[in-house]
Amino acid sequence: MEKEICTISIASNWLTDEYIFYENDTIKRIYDNHSMSSNVSEWVTPEQISEQNKDKLIKNCPEDLKERIMHILNYP
């Protein structure tokens, strides 16, 4: 099992939307589609994450981890 770097939430309402970043540069997303479909989990690649969500992730990222997370996301 890979070691977790951090979890970043970009939820804008009561629905969960979290991204978990791991040491091996993988990303897991946990989110709610709606109240009847919660805690959906999937592995995602940087290409599957919209630029808008990447912006939110970097904005909400702990300062000391920004460079690492930017690298994983292939963020400019």
Side-chain angles (χ1 to χ4, degrees), residues 47-63:
E47 296 76 29
Q48 293 172 300
I49 302 172
S50 71
E51 290 302 315
Q52 181 181 15
N53 282 350
K54 286 182 182 180
D55 290 342
K56 290 179 189 177
L57 287 165
I58 297 303
K59 181 178 176 253
N60 294 339
C61 182
E63 196 62 42

Side-chain angles (χ1 to χ4, degrees), residues 9-22:
S9 174
I10 60 169
S12 58
N13 53 28
W14 53 272
L15 296 174
T16 299
D17 195 3
E18 295 181 334
Y19 290 79
I20 304 169
F21 294 86
Y22 293 91

Side-chain angles (χ1 to χ4, degrees), residues 4-57:
E4 183 179 319
I5 299 172
C6 70
T7 299
I8 303 172
S9 174
I10 60 169
S12 58
N13 53 28
W14 53 272
L15 296 174
T16 299
D17 195 3
E18 295 181 334
Y19 290 79
I20 304 169
F21 294 86
Y22 293 91
E23 290 280 332
N24 65 351
D25 292 352
T26 57
I27 308 165
K28 182 185 253 184
R29 182 180 181 211
I30 300 172
Y31 62 97
D32 299 339
N33 281 325
H34 48 76
S35 61
M36 301 302 272
S37 174
S38 60
N39 289 327
V40 177
S41 175
E42 67 180 358
W43 293 97
V44 295
T45 64
E47 296 76 29
Q48 293 172 300
I49 302 172
S50 71
E51 290 302 315
Q52 181 181 15
N53 282 350
K54 286 182 182 180
D55 290 342
K56 290 179 189 177
L57 287 165

